[in-house]
Amino acid sequence: MKAVVLYGPGKVDIGELPIVEMNPGDVRVRVAYCGICGSDFHKYAGKKNTHPIRYPVALGHEISGIVEAVGSAVTNFKVGDRVTVDPNWGCGKCYYCKEGKPSFCEHARGVVKGMAEFVTSPEENVYHLPDTLSLRDAALCEPLACCLRGMDLLGVKHGESVALIGFGAIGNIILQLLRSAGAGEIAVVEYDAAKRERAMALGATAFIPSEDRAAIEQYAAEHDVTKVIECVGIGAAQEAALAIAGKGATVVMFGVSDSAATLPISLYDAFLKELTIKTSFVNPHTSARAVRLLNAGLLDTDKIICGVLSPEEAVEEFRAPKLSRRGKVLVAIDPTLQ
């Protein structure tokens, strides 16, 4: 099958990969769209990822598509069903799975290599899509599911003052979720001034340049910021998150950092503020909610998706990122699917 193949660090091209052999409990999906995730750029750069990388491998894990075939033991899906797939598989038998924490599964593996004509996944990771949800928009299910996990950890209450650090594709989704969750004030801290207009249109009440530490500290002094979510994954953004957090605040570090990165923080300042610092890892138990939320039309997907590329164009995007800096980019594997 044709795929966007990563052959090694910095080596990506259009190539051919074998179609994964099906087990009785598997579902094979013909892929319509696959989103480009920041972690795909990490893989391209040769950095550590959630699961070990075995080259050659198709990039991508945020998919929508149509069921092409089902194994003999599959009971909930049939050929022609419109679906999305959670890429994070847990065994269901280890200690963490039995404790309801499949994201920490001792035998976890990724089951979606999405920038390919087909993916083959265990039935339990496949989710039906309503006929009213387009396959284009359904490619946002996986990143939205991750964002819902972050929002659960953040625990925003109506009327709270919230700071959002970073306004890329994930920050865009989080901003829309914060608004629908009833946040009273939402300060977006972002380095790209060109994103100000979009952030304000989507419900931000303040836009602060991330390099302006004085402005961040002034905002913190004038507003009781009780919830902060960081969506960049670099030290400067994480430091800004801690600086803008108010007394007793909860700070969620959502952005994926380089595996070698460390964060120097003032433990004394954190102590004085009595901060709660959390991290958010993948998307346990949120995929079905993501499907329902997208189908309800509560997210403006046109404000999240900034472009759709062919597989050949996706290869060039990895080599020289341009569009991905603006928002979520989808790769049209088979856009004829409906």
Side-chain angles (χ1 to χ4, degrees):
M1 63 177 177
K2 179 181 175 181
V4 178
V5 182
L6 183 65
Y7 292 97
K11 299 177 181 178
V12 64
D13 211 336
I14 300 299
E16 290 286 331
L17 292 174
I19 298 174
V20 177
E21 186 174 336
M22 290 181 64
N23 294 314
D26 286 347
V27 175
R28 179 173 294 151
V29 179
R30 181 180 289 274
V31 179
Y33 294 92
C34 180
I36 296 179
C37 176
S39 66
D40 292 316
F41 286 101
H42 288 185
K43 295 175 188 175
Y44 175 75
K47 298 177 180 179
K48 282 186 179 180
N49 195 53
T50 305
H51 305 293
I53 301 175
R54 297 178 177 86
Y55 305 111
V57 63
L59 287 167
H61 55 269
E62 305 171 357
I63 73 152
S64 63
I66 303 291
V67 174
E68 180 81 5
V70 296
S72 59
V74 171
T75 59
N76 197 37
F77 296 91
K78 65 182 185 303
V79 173
D81 283 349
R82 305 166 73 256
V83 296
T84 188
V85 183
D86 177 357
N88 302 297
W89 177 85
C91 70
K93 301 176 181 179
C94 72
Y95 170 81
Y96 290 107
C97 284
K98 288 184 175 181
E99 288 292 305
K101 302 174 182 179
S103 53
F104 302 139
C105 175
E106 296 170 358
H107 310 288
R109 61 186 173 93
V111 295
V112 173
K113 315 301 179 188
M115 292 182 204
E117 292 182 89
F118 302 99
V119 300
T120 301
S121 165
E123 178 182 16
E124 57 265 32
N125 281 61
V126 185
Y127 291 81
H128 286 284
L129 295 174
D131 291 340
T132 47
L133 179 59
S134 73
L135 291 178
R136 169 188 174 270
D137 287 357
L140 295 175
C141 283
E142 194 277 344
L144 175 56
C146 291
C147 289
L148 290 174
R149 171 61 173 171
M151 289 291 293
D152 289 348
L153 291 168
L154 194 63
V156 175
K157 297 178 182 177
H158 283 80
E160 279 195 289
S161 182
V162 183
L164 166 61
I165 317 298
F167 191 62
I170 292 298
N172 188 312
I173 295 173
I174 292 289
L175 175 56
Q176 296 193 49
L177 293 177
L178 288 171
R179 177 51 64 208
S180 64
E185 297 175 321
I186 307 172
V188 171
V189 180
E190 163 64 41
Y191 81 94
D192 187 353
K195 295 180 179 179
R196 178 187 180 93
E197 183 177 348
R198 177 174 292 187
M200 301 302 286
L202 286 174
T205 56
F207 188 94
I208 307 170
S210 58
E211 70 277 10
D212 192 342
R213 186 58 177 261
I216 292 172
E217 293 177 352
Q218 181 178 350
Y219 188 90
E222 296 174 352
H223 298 261
D224 182 22
V225 178
T226 51
K227 299 291 168 64
V228 184
I229 183 163
E230 182 276 325
C231 300
V232 184
I234 63 174
Q238 293 161 345
E239 289 176 11
L242 297 175
I244 204 169
K247 294 178 180 178
T250 295
V251 180
V252 174
M253 300 297 188
F254 186 94
V256 180
S257 299
D258 187 291
S259 60
T262 59
L263 178 63
I265 66 172
S266 169
L267 293 177
Y268 184 69
D269 287 347
F271 161 74
L272 288 180
K273 291 183 180 181
E274 202 173 68
L275 297 180
T276 298
I277 301 173
K278 302 180 180 181
T279 59
S280 182
F281 180 56
V282 298
N283 59 341
H285 309 302
T286 53
S287 293
R289 291 163 56 194
V291 172
R292 291 194 292 268
L293 187 59
L294 279 170
N295 191 53
L298 295 181
L299 291 184
D300 188 341
T301 57
D302 289 337
K303 295 291 195 306
I304 301 167
I305 299 169
C306 66
V308 179
L309 303 179
S310 68
E312 291 76 12
E313 290 170 330
V315 168
E316 296 306 314
E317 181 70 12
F318 281 110
R319 292 171 177 168
K322 295 179 182 177
L323 200 57
S324 298
R325 302 185 188 281
R326 293 169 43 197
K328 175 59 65 178
V329 176
L330 303 184
V331 182
I333 305 299
D334 188 348
T336 67
L337 299 179
Q338 300 295 325

